[in-house]
Amino acid sequence: MFGDKFYKKINKLMPWQQTVFALSLAERMYPNYRLFAETSGFGDGERFRHTLDVLWTYLTVKGSRVDLSTELEAFEKMIPDPARFESYGAYPALDACVALGAAYNSVICRIGEEASEASHASLGAVAGFVELLAERDLSDEELYENELIEAEMEFQVALLERVAQPREAETILAIRDFSAQGGVSNLGISLEE
């Protein structure tokens, strides 16, 4: 939906920036996964949180020793297959997992498309939710006019600007806080009661 210009900028990010971009989108989608895990009994919201935190620590604490492959392997057991669930929530939970997996893969195997993959997953989660609420498929024009889609696109543009800054632990931690969006996900889901 963004167009080639946006994704060309994302794909030109340095490896650590790709990681931060993908991880930030997973951070923002965390409430989607957590709510699904709590309501379905599948997965573990605390484990997802832990998996996020391990990678944030890896990026911000010099000398941190983490076996990212082991973390990723444990995390992969928590990825839902939406075909196995009646709840729509499995889809945004899967999208959150795609973004988190992309962040880990950007460190482990560095293909260079991880940030783009996470971007598509996050935007796809919002588009799917908007269409669910509309109870029909929407045209691109209708999607572009939706406030959740607009907010997602604005968030990703702002995130790209923040990620383009020089690498410093304080900057990365500020990006993490920005991405948490006060505990409200890209779908407007909040874990606060």
Side-chain angles (χ1 to χ4, degrees), residues 17-183:
Q17 292 170 319
Q18 292 249 349
T19 304
V20 171
F21 191 91
L23 186 60
S24 296
L25 294 176
E27 180 73 44
R28 187 163 184 237
M29 291 189 282
Y30 164 68
N32 301 344
Y33 183 89
R34 176 89 186 228
L35 180 63
F36 169 74
E38 289 174 359
T39 58
S40 71
F42 177 86
D44 183 347
E46 289 299 319
R47 180 67 191 172
F48 192 97
R49 174 80 260 158
H50 170 78
T51 308
L52 283 167
D53 292 342
V54 165
L55 197 49
W56 285 119
T57 300
Y58 174 82
L59 291 167
T60 58
V61 177
K62 287 185 179 185
S64 62
R65 300 280 180 229
V66 179
D67 185 347
L68 295 178
S69 295
T70 301
E71 287 292 329
L72 183 59
E73 188 176 308
F75 161 72
E76 286 174 343
K77 296 173 186 166
M78 302 184 317
I79 299 173
D81 175 0
R84 295 182 55 216
F85 296 93
E86 292 182 18
S87 165
Y88 173 79
Y91 290 96
L94 174 61
D95 291 326
C97 291
V98 167
L100 186 52
Y104 269 79
N105 285 331
S106 71
V107 175
I108 296 168
C109 56
R110 293 187 181 168
I111 294 170
E113 298 174 357
E114 293 84 6
S116 181
E117 180 182 0
S119 172
H120 286 293
S122 186
L123 191 56
V126 177
F129 185 66
V130 167
E131 289 182 333
L132 174 74
L133 295 177
E135 298 181 347
R136 65 183 178 88
D137 290 341
L138 300 175
S139 69
D140 285 348
E141 292 79 22
E142 290 173 309
L143 286 171
Y144 278 124
E145 293 171 359
N146 183 278
E147 67 182 53
L148 282 175
I149 294 287
E150 286 179 11
E152 175 66 16
M153 292 172 66
E154 289 171 5
F155 174 81
Q156 288 197 30
V157 168
L159 177 59
L160 182 59
E161 291 171 5
R162 284 172 164 78
V163 168
Q165 298 176 27
R167 184 177 187 169
E168 293 180 17
E170 298 80 24
T171 302
I172 294 171
L173 292 172
I175 292 169
R176 179 192 64 192
D177 293 343
F178 168 73
S179 300
Q181 294 285 289

